Amino acid sequence: MYEKCPVCDQKYELETGFWFGTGYVSYALSVAFSVFNLIWYAVFFGISWRDNSIFIWLGINTVLLVLIQPWLMRLSRVIYLYFFVYYDESTKDLEKPKHHHS
């Protein structure tokens, strides 16, 4: 991951340990994804303890969560950064900041 945005020069890690909060966002996304999977699975296949279909759903959901984890981590960083950094659309055409080396 870049240290700063190549377009606007925004520093990504606002403070040491800043990204630890993304764990909560990633967890919320994972729970939402799991609930969505449970609903569509129950609608199309039915779910029950008697035929162990809940365990089939659990296995499928676990595999899907592992497969989409890199995407979820990236998405959680974007969402978390939006909480703290305001993006002003009108500044997108401004000239990139010049780096001054002392």
Side-chain angles (χ1 to χ4, degrees):
M1 186 168 164
Y2 294 113
E3 189 175 315
K4 293 183 177 195
C5 175
V7 176
C8 69
D9 208 37
Q10 168 68 47
K11 185 177 176 186
Y12 286 135
E13 191 165 358
L14 303 182
E15 60 187 32
T16 303
F18 174 72
W19 295 115
F20 287 139
T22 60
Y24 298 105
V25 178
S26 182
Y27 176 75
L29 291 173
S30 297
V31 168
F33 180 79
S34 297
V35 168
F36 173 77
N37 279 342
L38 181 64
I39 291 169
W40 75 258
Y41 188 88
V43 167
F44 288 106
F45 301 108
I47 203 156
S48 168
W49 290 103
R50 280 172 270 179
D51 62 359
N52 290 331
S53 59
I54 189 117
F55 296 112
I56 296 169
W57 167 81
L58 190 60
I60 292 169
N61 192 64
T62 301
V63 168
L64 289 174
L65 278 173
V66 168
L67 290 175
I68 68 165
Q69 193 57 40
W71 180 78
L72 280 179
M73 290 174 66
R74 175 73 62 157
L75 181 62
S76 68
R77 282 185 168 218
V78 170
I79 292 170
Y80 192 70
L81 192 61
Y82 280 154
F83 285 128
F84 298 98
V85 177
Y86 173 72
Y87 174 70
D88 186 358
E89 183 77 25
S90 66
T91 63
K92 70 178 181 177
D93 296 325
L94 293 178
E95 189 176 319
K96 285 175 71 171
K98 304 255 191 278
H99 293 287
H100 298 287
H101 299 285
S102 303

